[in-house]
Amino acid sequence: MRTTILLCLFITFSSCANWIKSPGFSWSNRPSEKFAILPFRVDRLKRELEPGMTVPELKEDERREGLRLQRDLFRYFLREMRERGVSIDVIQDFNETNDLLRAKELTVKEGEEVTVEELTEWLGVRAVISGEIKQMADAEYSAGLLNGSLQTERRIEAYFVLQENDKRALWRYRDKQVGNKDVSVYDITKNLLRRVPKKFPF
């Protein structure tokens, strides 16, 4: 899927809180409606490319990672919903989401913006969760010193937003996760994603 479909969705927010929601909003108030999780925008922040890797290859790798993390978060949502007794019918299967996006992307010109309203109509859902995940494979050496360690750190920062339309964000969440060089960036990111559904206003 072309990232043009995803980039216009994400809204950066500067609140110090980990999560905020629209006053009075709860998904339990709309049990007959669905939301979908979109593939995430992934930025792998490195000082230089891996030997032999080109910029287009890096971008393709980030695209695939965004799809993989979308799948993971969908599964964590299912687990949380089952534990809370929430019907899983309110979340669209990520495979269906991606199939519908692939069917529509050919109608979108390169660089053309897609609104949230258009996306929810394409997917047949009330709202969508989009997000950006920044993966810093090796943080600055000084970060390790500040934390009392001489090891380089791997740092993940993530931002998520649930939107009904372009003007209204129903829920926003931001988080970070740090791990040492012995833990893969993917595993650190998954640890962060596991916390996201626990902050969702079911």
Side-chain angles (χ1 to χ4, degrees):
M1 277 165 286
R2 294 201 298 267
T3 53
T4 185
I5 288 181
L6 309 179
L7 298 184
C8 63
L9 287 172
F10 183 67
I11 295 178
T12 301
F13 56 95
S14 58
S15 170
C16 293
N18 279 338
W19 67 280
I20 57 175
K21 71 179 182 71
S22 179
F25 168 70
S26 171
W27 202 265
S28 61
N29 296 331
R30 47 183 75 182
S32 62
E33 297 173 333
K34 286 189 175 186
F35 66 90
I37 300 173
L38 300 175
F40 298 123
R41 172 181 174 177
V42 174
D43 291 324
R44 289 185 166 170
L45 306 179
K46 298 182 179 180
R47 295 186 181 183
E48 56 188 27
L49 294 176
E50 304 252 352
M53 176 177 278
T54 65
V55 171
E57 288 172 339
L58 174 62
K59 294 302 179 184
E60 175 61 18
D61 198 39
E62 291 174 337
R63 185 193 69 82
R64 290 195 300 266
E65 183 77 346
L67 290 167
R68 180 163 66 157
L69 296 175
Q70 172 205 23
R71 175 206 65 193
D72 291 340
L73 184 59
F74 172 78
R75 292 174 176 173
Y76 298 146
F77 259 93
L78 290 184
R79 184 181 305 168
E80 182 71 17
M81 292 162 76
R82 290 188 178 108
E83 289 179 359
R84 294 196 191 192
V86 177
S87 172
I88 63 173
D89 292 338
V90 301
I91 186 172
Q92 187 175 73
D93 185 274
F94 74 98
N95 286 311
E96 181 181 357
T97 299
N98 292 342
D99 287 344
L100 291 168
L101 288 176
R102 275 190 290 267
K104 284 292 186 178
E105 71 174 354
L106 296 178
T107 67
V108 180
K109 296 179 181 178
E110 189 68 33
E112 181 181 352
E113 289 190 354
V114 177
T115 67
V116 176
E117 187 175 8
E118 288 173 320
L119 268 171
T120 54
E121 183 178 349
W122 289 352
L123 299 175
V125 297
R126 178 68 179 267
V128 291
I129 293 177
S130 61
E132 181 176 9
I133 298 172
K134 296 181 179 180
Q135 298 177 330
M136 287 160 273
D138 295 296
E140 294 288 341
Y141 183 75
S142 59
L145 292 176
L146 289 173
N147 291 320
S149 169
L150 295 179
Q151 291 183 320
T152 57
E153 292 181 340
R154 292 178 170 175
R155 182 183 181 92
I156 309 300
E157 295 180 356
Y159 307 82
F160 306 92
V161 58
L162 175 75
Q163 289 175 276
E164 254 183 332
N165 52 53
D166 287 337
K167 297 181 179 178
R168 187 181 184 203
L170 299 173
W171 166 80
R172 298 173 181 179
Y173 179 77
R174 66 182 301 171
D175 205 350
K176 62 184 178 181
Q177 180 82 28
V178 176
N180 62 43
K181 62 183 180 180
D182 297 323
V183 184
S184 73
V185 170
Y186 175 59
D187 285 337
I188 298 171
T189 307
K190 287 201 302 179
N191 287 336
L192 185 155
L193 290 180
R194 288 187 180 98
R195 298 196 292 266
V196 178
K198 299 183 182 301
K199 298 296 184 180
F200 189 80
F202 289 110

